[in-house]
Amino acid sequence: MLLMQFSAAGTDFPPIDTWTPEEIRAHIAFMGEVNAKLTADGEWVQGEGLGGPAQARIVRAGEGGVPVVTEGPFPETKEFLAGWWIVDCETPQRAVEIAAHISTAPGPGGRPLNMPIEVHPVMSAPPQEL
């Protein structure tokens, strides 16, 4: 699983809501090309972009299991999950290569964003020793 984290800390580009329409279209087109290539290569399983922090909610079980919902992450949060992919790769190194390519998604002025992409194996079953 590849997780695209957006971090306001340490970035040298403005928030996406300040980009020009052309810059946003180029960014989305890049993601579409990534997904099409992964599909053509037989590596695509699933993926989605996610709404920003203003649309997110944090849910905990309250008394009797009743959902307790709060808005969040909160404005002081510096990072949030921007999107994800599930890929089926021959090797862990291939997943790292895909993540590095996704990190080059264009931002303002077409410059690569170099956003961090986390790579996590998806576990299908507990280890056999359990």
Side-chain angles (χ1 to χ4, degrees), residues 30-117:
F30 175 90
M31 294 302 177
E33 292 166 9
V34 165
N35 296 345
K37 173 106 171 69
L38 290 171
T39 299
D41 291 346
E43 296 173 317
W44 169 266
V45 175
Q46 192 174 23
E48 295 291 337
L50 300 174
Q55 298 169 312
R57 302 293 174 261
I58 296 172
V59 180
R60 291 183 174 85
E63 190 172 323
V66 175
V68 176
V69 181
T70 56
E71 293 182 8
F74 301 100
E76 63 273 8
T77 300
K78 301 274 190 253
E79 297 180 351
F80 64 90
L81 186 59
W84 53 272
W85 293 260
I86 296 178
V87 295
D88 186 8
C89 303
E90 290 293 321
T91 66
Q93 180 56 33
R94 176 63 184 140
V96 168
E97 291 167 2
I98 295 168
H101 178 65
I102 291 170
S103 179
T104 68
R111 288 190 355 242
L113 294 175
N114 295 322
M115 290 175 50
I117 308 296

